[in-house]
């Protein structure tokens, strides 16, 4: 088993690689998701859990998706995660932080082109729409790709409950949030953008 390779821009990668290496049978390698060292047709599953939102240029994201496809064996599962472009607005809304200044500047900018400047504690990143994520996968050669909303449409309210009512109260709401996420996923990609994160999957 090989650990997923993340973007070279992701500073904690070295620490994560050390943690993964502690598991028997797991090998790790720091690298660049756009230029994998593995040979073609190497892995039974390939996961991109991080590189896409750290790669701010569309061409780089497509290259990473193409590389994931290249190293996957025929019949392998390939999957890639993206951050929803609407997640910032949702989070600010439920936390009562969506001031006119944020709405007109930071949030409007992200909604416009997906670019986030890292000004409020997160790194410089790209936030996707579901349609954009699917289009980039198609441009990289992925076929029969499915889009999933990971947390479902209730994630922001669960986050707010944890902040204002405490972790114990939020934990009590988790089963309902999971049921909502599963129900939303049954209806295809319609609710995917309402999740904080989205996942695209395909079989080679």
């Amino acid at each position: 088993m090989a650990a997923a390779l993340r973007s070279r821009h992701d500073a904690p990668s070295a620490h994560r690689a050390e943690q993964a290496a502690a598991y028997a049978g797991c090998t790790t390698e720091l690298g660049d998701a756009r230029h994998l060292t593995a040979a073609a047709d190497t892995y039974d599953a390939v996961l991109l859990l991080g590189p896409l939102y750290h790669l701010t240029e569309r061409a780089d994201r497509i290259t990473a998706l193409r590389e994931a496809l290249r190293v996957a064996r025929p019949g392998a599962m390939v999957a890639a995660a993206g951050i929803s472009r609407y997640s910032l607005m949702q989070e600010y809304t439920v936390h009562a932080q969506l001031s006119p200044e944020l709405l007109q500047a930071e949030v409007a900018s992200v909604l416009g082109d997906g670019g986030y400047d890292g000004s409020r504690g997160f790194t410089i990143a790209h936030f996707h729409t579901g349609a954009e994520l699917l289009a980039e996968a198609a441009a990289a050669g992925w076929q029969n790709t499915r889009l999933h909303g990971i947390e479902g449409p209730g994630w922001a309210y669960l986050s707010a409950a944890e902040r204002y009512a405490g972790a114990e109260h939020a934990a009590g709401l988790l089963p309902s949030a999971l049921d909502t996420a599963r129900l939303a996923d049954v209806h295809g990609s319609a609710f995917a953008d309402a999740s904080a994160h989205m996942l695209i999957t395909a079989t080679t």
Side-chain angles (χ1 to χ4, degrees):
M1 178 171 66
L5 293 173
R6 301 169 65 122
S7 164
R8 62 182 175 85
H9 300 295
D10 191 11
S13 289
H15 176 60
R16 299 303 182 199
E18 291 173 4
Q19 290 178 315
Y23 290 89
C26 182
T27 60
T28 66
E29 176 186 350
L30 290 180
D32 188 325
R34 299 165 297 180
H35 306 289
L36 302 182
T37 60
D41 303 333
T42 297
Y43 298 114
D44 295 320
V46 182
L47 310 178
L48 294 176
L49 304 181
L52 293 189
Y53 45 83
H54 289 291
L55 296 170
T56 57
E57 297 296 326
R58 184 176 188 272
D60 287 335
R61 295 192 297 273
I62 292 172
T63 298
L65 289 163
R66 189 177 292 123
E67 277 288 270
L69 195 63
R70 181 185 67 81
V71 301
R73 291 180 177 136
M77 168 70 75
V78 289
I83 298 176
S84 170
R85 184 169 300 184
Y86 307 105
S87 61
L88 191 66
M89 181 172 62
Q90 289 175 278
E91 185 167 17
Y92 284 165
T93 299
V94 298
H95 290 164
Q97 295 177 325
L98 192 55
S99 66
E101 292 77 18
L102 277 175
L103 185 61
Q104 294 171 14
E106 183 178 346
V107 173
S109 177
V110 171
L111 291 176
D113 62 12
Y116 181 70
D117 62 8
S119 60
R120 288 175 62 87
F122 192 57
T123 185
I124 296 171
H126 182 80
F127 292 180
H128 280 89
T129 65
E132 179 187 28
L133 192 56
L134 287 169
E136 290 178 357
W142 291 35
Q143 298 180 354
N144 301 316
T145 308
R146 292 192 60 196
L147 176 69
H148 309 269
I150 297 177
E151 297 92 348
W155 72 271
Y157 299 99
L158 195 65
S159 175
E162 183 174 16
R163 172 175 293 191
Y164 297 117
E168 184 176 351
H169 181 69
L173 299 175
L174 183 58
S176 294
L178 290 174
D179 287 343
T180 301
R182 293 182 180 117
L183 180 60
D185 206 41
V186 168
H187 291 273
S189 60
F191 289 99
D193 285 279
S195 286
H197 298 82
M198 298 175 289
L199 189 75
I200 51 171
T201 60
T203 303
T204 58

